[in-house]
Amino acid sequence: MSVAKSLPHDAARLHVTGAARYVDDIPTPADTLHLAFGVSTIARGQITAMDLAAVRAAPGVVAVLTAEDLPFANDVSPSVHDEPLLSDGAVHYMGQPLFLVVASTHLAARKAAHLARIDYAEETPILTVEDALAANSRFEEGPRIWEKGSATAAVAAAPRVVSGLFEIGGQEHFYLEGQAALAEPQEGGDVIIRSSTQHPTEIQHKVGEALGIPMHGVRVETRRMGGGFGGKESQGNALAVACAVAARLTGRVCKMRYDRDDDMIITGKRHDIRIRYRAGFTEDGDVLGVEFWHYLRCGWAQDLSLPVADRAMLHSDNAYCIPAMRIESHRLKTNTQSATAFRGFGGPQGMVGIERVMDHVAHDLGIDPVALRQRNYYDALGEGGLSAPRASATHPPEGISQEKKDNLTPYGMAVEDFELHGMTARLLESAAYDARRAAVADWNASNDVIKKGLGFSPVKFGISFTLSHLNQAGALVHVYQDGSIHLNHGGTEMGQGLFQKVAQVAASRFGVDLEAVKITATDTGKVPNTSATAASSGSDLNGMAVKAACDTIRDRMAAHLAELHQCAVAQVRFDRGAVHVGAEVMSFAEAAHACYLGRVSLSATGYYKTPKLSWDRLRGQGRPFFYFAYGAALTEVAVDTRSGENRILRADILHDAGASLNPALDIGQVEGAYVQGAGWLTTEELVWDERGALRTHAPSTYKIPACSDRPDVFNVSLWDGQNREETIYRSKAVGEPPFMLGISAWLALSDAVAACGETYPALDAPATAEALWHAVRRVRDA
Amino acid sequence: MSKKFHVSTTVNGDPVEFLCDSRETVLDVLRDRLSLTGAKEGCGTGDCGACSITVDDRLVCACLMLGAEAEGKSIETVEGIAAGEDLHPLQKRFIEYAALQCGICTPGILVAAKNLLEKHPDPTEEQVRYWLAGNLCRCTGYDKIIRAVMDTAAEMREAS
Ligand code: FES
Ligand code: FES
């Protein structure tokens, strides 16, 4: 079987030879036109005059379009039609596209875009949480509030209470391939779009609206992206629509790619969030009640902000069964880029909230922060026996309450697959936690300049789209008469290895080698009405849909071959490239040919929808997730207290991918996600000035982790469990969950700063060197 | 538009001539005029390394060098690393170790790593990390990349 094997990425050979084609690498005709947006230079106001004469006269310019020139819909929103492609006169953020330049080269288009003279009636922008609250500028009528028990009463009655308020910054996706799209006009007004997108169906839909044609006139193809991370779920709409409109106008192939600065200035990022909390707990460390207030800056358009903010609420418990919790979530509308999907989709923000609470409580009580967490974990309920016993040799938290917990999340879903007791015990042992905790304490007792810290954080991440109807997928599989197999499904490949994993499923179903399976580009003409490749759902959904398609063909083949050779269908087996029919053995190719001659259809679609979901988002009640994926990380850091400069010395990770479809790819996801998560909370700082200009719009000013930042020691392993739910080969989704393991790096920094004094460091995120420098002073001077 | 420059150079061992504008970078020339799209534009400002090439054996960001400056130089790109169908040991290790995900940083990283090993066949891990610090990768977290480079170095030393 091909599944469960560590096979390399399907395009690895193309990648290492430079032959893998991304959108900007696709050969185009010599007369291809290139597009660029002219963007606003204020954050809020009205355009009073737009003089584009110099733009039109610039060398190489073929056409310049404003909102009035658009033939049909002027909208690229994935949700509520509030995102004009080109400004309709109102300016909502600095960097908003106002007009579109169509020119002979990329450079000519970009240069011309800077020649416009635009007059504005400028208004005071709403930039900060305070601004937005003061103006009651928000999405939805008021805050969403979900509650389990009465948290306010629980906190009030608790023996001890901590409270605080802190900020968590946003994050630029920094997919190394910027947004890009290409439109090729076809006969009869149809168009083919090649787009670097996680959501081809959405592109098809928006292009259709913009051209005034049904979706059947638009075909969208996506072979691969140079990284997505959620940033290509909706943010590619503008480029694809612009190309389609320009291609319709000129009859020529049109291409658009954002230069890095444009990309960072125009597109949305991870939501930043301010979290206020109050937590009540016992002297022993049982957390009795927590109240959270979330304030998310969503930017100017709704985009995906509601489900992102929901998911932040849905992860406010993380791994902890807290008897009473109240979460109030404010989705604020600000004059900044429209914040969008980013790996974890709000989950990380919510999780940082509760991890901060746990950290603060442990500090307040002087209890080991890992023991405190274990004490408050959900109970391991499952009968399957997949978890190691909860009382571990390494860390039996003393006096752990033996009362059974209700194991209900704040939104009323029962946690039935909790793996973290066993995982935590295993990780603490393999990472020698107790010894290193003591060593760090010794070090800190005798060193004043360099302080070390240890941080532990668990992850429990809910898998499924919270918009239940998105949890469906389709596939299309053909078997050709030579036994080769054509595979197509609705998922997109952004580097996560989805195509390879799904091809492994197909090869396993037919009992053939992977080489027999041709992986093909995602194509709205082959599989329609797909969901975005997002919410980590790619292999879960598409793997199942492909399995269904393969099984349909395999059953047809088996029935025909059984009849041909006069045996029972049950006696037909597909195994290692051969088909056994009773006593006969033939190659898969021979079997396929025989079926073709026997007039058996060798093509099938497959379809899957996730079972068991029911969710009422307004009440915050139900089962939004099919299952949870788990992980645990321990990070050690060193901080130079004179400068705030810091290093991750060691990271140990144990992650739950169920029965992994491909351990090499999954470990790769875990490593990359951890580093990206740690980057979010440490070095990646987005800065807007008081006019609303994003000042960090290039890698020179926005610092993502580099090779030199990688932990010196980096131990990553997979937990050898199985998904208790019936997923594809009992695997678990792995794209997003490990991102939140990076929280342990932030906690480790907090631990190191805490070693400078008695006070709780109360770090914001990102904990940049500068922020740490200040924090050290705060703690020392207190 | 502006005056065109006539440039004669060598790319991956082949003599090449092209005409370019004064503002075109080597990266533009490679990608748009010579159809060598292996080098990528990740930033255009010399900060990400996706466009890494070597010019007379020196590691260079192709986005920072003008096409006109390539006159008489010898350029190597990712397309020249394999000998026909035979992959370079670095390329094999990158595949074997899964040292890539979306793959768009891979060409630049391979060019940089190959250049490192030519100059320092026995690098320390720290040397590898700092040599590659200018090559950003958003997907992998770098661990497998470092291990692939270190192990290739060891393998190549044994072979030579
Ligand atoms: S594109 Fe040249 S360094 Fe980024
Ligand atoms: S593999 Fe995607 S940027 Fe490195």
Side-chain angles (χ1 to χ4, degrees):
Chain A
M1 285 226 302
S2 295
V3 290
K5 283 208 186 117
S6 284
L7 297 164
H9 192 279
D10 66 281
R13 193 185 166 95
L14 299 176
H15 289 147
V16 300
T17 53
R21 277 185 188 157
Y22 302 81
V23 169
D24 194 36
D25 303 335
I26 296 170
T28 56
D31 69 349
T32 298
L33 295 171
H34 300 261
L35 276 48
F37 287 127
V39 301
S40 67
T41 52
I42 64 160
R44 184 177 178 208
Q46 292 289 327
I47 298 170
T48 52
M50 190 142 70
D51 176 1
L52 300 175
V55 185
R56 291 182 207 281
V61 171
V62 173
V64 181
L65 280 72
T66 63
E68 275 103 74
D69 304 313
L70 299 175
F72 295 95
N74 177 19
D75 181 66
V76 292
S77 159
S79 50
V80 288
H81 296 271
D82 61 346
E83 227 176 298
L85 171 70
L86 299 173
S87 166
D88 52 13
V91 174
H92 300 282
Y93 76 103
M94 195 180 295
Q96 183 182 344
L98 306 182
F99 61 93
L100 175 66
V101 185
V102 184
S104 55
T105 67
H106 175 71
L107 193 59
R110 289 197 69 224
K111 285 181 69 172
H114 288 279
L115 300 176
R117 296 184 40 163
I118 297 172
D119 297 327
Y120 304 96
E122 210 169 333
E123 294 160 37
T124 311
I126 294 171
L127 299 174
T128 62
V129 169
E130 286 80 12
D131 293 348
L133 287 174
N136 196 28
S137 173
R138 60 172 74 238
F139 296 100
E140 297 188 303
E141 60 303 330
R144 283 260 79 73
I145 300 170
W146 298 345
E147 186 154 20
K148 170 186 173 185
S150 174
T152 313
V155 174
R160 290 178 83 111
V161 174
V162 293
S163 62
L165 179 149
F166 70 115
E167 315 274 345
I168 306 169
Q171 185 178 28
E172 162 63 34
H173 302 83
F174 213 90
Y175 26 65
L176 209 53
E177 175 209 28
Q179 306 278 348
L182 179 69
E184 300 164 35
Q186 306 292 304
E187 62 183 24
D190 292 355
V191 64
I192 296 178
I193 306 281
R194 289 174 222 279
S195 164
S196 181
T197 179
Q198 293 171 238
H199 200 348
T201 290
E202 183 74 40
I203 298 270
Q204 179 192 24
H205 175 204
K206 299 313 292 188
V207 166
E209 283 180 359
L211 297 183
I213 59 177
M215 287 171 80
H216 69 39
V218 184
R219 216 191 98 206
V220 180
E221 191 187 278
T222 300
R223 176 57 186 86
R224 65 172 59 80
M225 282 162 269
F229 315 114
K232 292 174 178 170
E233 190 165 337
S234 61
Q235 304 299 297
N237 294 357
L239 299 90
V241 168
C243 287
V245 169
R248 176 184 188 267
L249 179 78
T250 60
R252 284 154 72 173
V253 174
C254 288
K255 176 153 97 174
M256 184 171 205
R257 67 176 170 93
Y258 289 159
D259 169 83
R260 179 63 58 185
D261 298 79
D262 288 350
D263 201 315
M264 292 185 73
I265 287 169
I266 296 171
T267 66
K269 299 152 206 331
R270 182 185 294 284
H271 293 69
D272 53 49
I273 186 171
R274 170 181 298 176
I275 299 182
R276 190 151 73 81
Y277 61 90
R278 261 159 43 91
F281 47 99
T282 65
E283 299 288 346
D284 294 339
D286 289 327
V287 178
L288 304 172
V290 181
E291 296 172 282
F292 281 118
W293 292 263
H294 289 177
Y295 304 91
L296 296 94
R297 287 194 321 143
C298 300
W300 68 284
Q302 185 169 309
D303 187 71
L304 307 167
S305 290
L306 304 190
V308 167
D310 287 356
R311 194 171 268 272
M313 298 173 81
L314 287 165
H315 288 80
S316 291
D317 59 332
N318 193 17
Y320 313 108
C321 189
I322 296 169
M325 186 178 273
R326 181 181 184 278
I327 312 147
E328 178 176 313
S329 166
H330 297 257
R331 297 87 196 266
L332 303 172
K333 186 171 180 175
T334 51
N335 293 114
T336 46
Q337 291 77 359
S338 180
T340 191
F342 195 143
R343 202 175 201 170
F345 205 73
Q349 291 94 317
M351 212 177 275
V352 170
I354 189 69
E355 289 305 326
R356 165 57 170 272
V357 166
M358 289 293 157
D359 198 49
H360 198 167
V361 170
H363 188 273
D364 190 62
L365 292 172
I367 293 184
D368 178 275
V370 184
L372 179 92
R373 285 175 165 84
Q374 287 174 304
R375 177 179 196 99
N376 287 285
Y377 274 171
Y378 284 98
D379 280 342
L381 288 185
E383 322 80 317
L386 293 167
S387 286
R390 77 180 276 172
S392 79
T394 6
H395 238 277
E398 324 89 57
I400 201 155
S401 72
Q402 289 303 322
E403 278 161 48
K404 242 168 109 63
K405 300 177 180 173
D406 67 5
N407 256 35
L408 291 177
T409 63
Y411 44 93
M413 174 172 167
V415 178
E416 294 166 338
D417 58 1
F418 198 71
E419 300 277 1
L420 278 166
H421 293 285
M423 291 179 70
T424 304
R426 168 102 59 91
L427 180 76
L428 296 182
E429 189 173 341
S430 70
Y433 175 71
D434 290 337
R436 285 170 59 211
R437 175 54 80 192
V440 164
D442 286 351
W443 170 279
N444 287 337
S446 49
N447 288 278
D448 259 355
V449 174
I450 307 286
K451 292 290 185 188
K452 291 188 177 176
L454 273 175
F456 168 85
S457 62
V459 170
K460 163 180 136 291
F461 191 77
I463 302 298
S464 293
F465 287 100
T466 55
L467 210 50
S468 296
H469 78 260
L470 297 178
N471 295 292
Q472 57 172 322
L476 176 67
V477 175
H478 307 316
V479 173
Y480 294 102
Q481 51 185 302
D482 66 353
S484 64
I485 297 160
H486 175 108
L487 170 63
N488 197 270
H489 54 81
T492 56
E493 177 63 43
M494 58 196 105
Q496 81 279 44
L498 170 68
F499 281 16
Q500 184 73 319
K501 283 183 165 184
V502 174
Q504 287 175 256
V505 170
S508 295
R509 300 318 286 175
F510 288 115
V512 298
D513 280 346
L514 208 50
E515 290 71 57
V517 181
K518 172 63 95 187
I519 294 170
T520 59
T522 318
D523 185 337
T524 56
K526 290 183 183 167
V527 176
N529 307 323
T530 58
S531 297
T533 307
S536 308
S537 67
S539 359
D540 279 7
L541 296 178
N542 296 292
M544 283 302 233
V546 163
K547 173 172 173 281
C550 294
D551 290 356
T552 301
I553 299 176
R554 205 181 60 176
D555 291 350
R556 286 185 202 143
M557 291 176 75
H560 176 70
L561 296 169
E563 192 185 320
L564 208 60
H565 294 274
Q566 294 297 307
C567 72
V569 174
Q571 286 174 285
V572 181
R573 272 190 310 119
F574 294 74
D575 189 26
R576 274 167 277 185
V579 183
H580 302 256
V581 186
E584 300 275 326
V585 185
M586 62 192 83
S587 69
F588 184 76
E590 286 163 347
H593 192 67
C595 289
Y596 164 67
L597 293 179
R599 298 194 292 172
V600 174
S601 164
L602 293 175
S603 173
T605 58
Y607 180 78
Y608 175 73
K609 56 181 176 181
T610 313
K612 298 191 178 179
L613 304 176
S614 78
W615 174 235
D616 178 345
R617 72 168 282 271
L618 294 183
R619 286 178 44 240
Q621 283 297 318
R623 176 173 183 162
F625 304 124
F626 187 26
Y627 63 90
F628 294 101
Y630 298 90
L634 182 70
T635 299
E636 182 172 345
V637 298
V639 177
D640 185 335
T641 55
R642 293 164 309 187
S643 61
E645 199 186 343
N646 57 87
R647 289 271 180 282
I648 296 180
L649 303 176
R650 173 168 170 181
D652 292 84
I653 292 173
L654 182 58
H655 193 78
D656 161 34
S660 171
L661 287 174
N662 184 322
L665 294 179
D666 284 351
I667 286 179
Q669 285 296 297
V670 175
E671 290 176 353
Y674 168 84
V675 169
Q676 200 175 56
W680 167 47
L681 296 171
T682 58
T683 64
E684 299 186 32
E685 186 175 30
L686 291 164
V687 179
W688 283 268
D689 67 16
E690 64 291 345
R691 293 191 58 234
L694 177 67
R695 304 307 296 263
T696 47
H697 51 78
S700 51
T701 45
Y702 183 79
K703 167 85 177 79
I704 71 166
C707 219
S708 40
D709 302 319
R710 154 191 171 272
D712 287 333
V713 180
F714 199 10
N715 299 319
V716 178
S717 28
L718 297 180
W719 173 244
D720 45 7
Q722 283 200 357
N723 198 333
R724 293 173 197 225
E725 298 295 343
E726 280 183 45
T727 52
I728 185 75
Y729 291 103
R730 300 271 177 182
S731 62
K732 285 193 181 183
V734 76
E736 297 171 290
F739 178 88
M740 284 145 275
L741 297 169
I743 296 171
S744 61
W746 181 69
L747 294 170
L749 291 169
S750 175
D751 190 47
V753 175
C756 296
E758 297 298 315
T759 344
Y760 184 63
L763 289 184
D764 286 336
T768 59
E770 188 183 346
L772 290 171
W773 186 89
H774 284 294
V776 166
R777 305 269 123 8
R778 254 194 338 264
V779 170
R780 281 209 170 133
D781 298 346
Chain B
M1 270 183 147
S2 52
K3 161 176 182 300
K4 295 259 190 209
F5 290 79
H6 175 244
V7 178
S8 307
T9 179
T10 309
V11 179
N12 298 328
D14 298 329
V16 168
E17 286 180 57
F18 57 83
L19 288 176
C20 72
D21 295 332
S22 57
R23 292 172 187 283
E24 273 181 76
T25 63
V26 173
L27 182 62
D28 296 332
V29 169
L30 288 170
R31 294 182 53 85
D32 301 341
R33 298 194 183 272
L34 305 179
S35 299
L36 290 171
T37 53
K40 312 294 182 191
E41 182 179 310
C43 66
T45 51
D47 295 307
C48 78
C51 63
S52 298
I53 59 168
T54 60
V55 179
D56 291 347
D57 293 328
R58 203 174 129 212
L59 188 59
V60 162
C61 291
C63 68
L64 292 184
M65 177 175 162
L66 292 173
E69 294 178 288
E71 175 65 37
K73 302 270 198 286
S74 171
I75 292 176
E76 298 280 340
T77 71
V78 67
E79 287 92 344
I81 293 183
E85 287 297 294
D86 283 342
L87 297 182
H88 185 278
L90 270 172
Q91 293 172 309
K92 288 188 199 152
R93 289 279 181 194
F94 267 62
I95 296 176
E96 187 192 329
Y97 285 28
L100 52 87
Q101 289 180 26
C102 81
I104 199 155
C105 67
T106 312
I109 289 183
L110 285 170
V111 168
K114 177 166 175 275
N115 190 252
L116 166 71
L117 298 190
E118 281 161 7
K119 300 200 158 114
H120 306 281
D122 191 4
T124 63
E125 188 183 305
E126 191 169 348
Q127 234 176 335
V128 176
R129 297 225 243 148
Y130 282 87
W131 188 275
L132 294 180
N135 288 82
L136 298 179
C137 171
R138 191 52 151 166
C139 302
T140 63
Y142 303 103
D143 193 59
K144 293 175 157 116
I145 292 174
I146 306 282
R147 287 197 289 117
V149 175
M150 290 299 290
D151 289 0
T152 311
E155 181 196 340
M156 287 176 71
R157 284 196 306 277
E158 270 167 37
S160 67

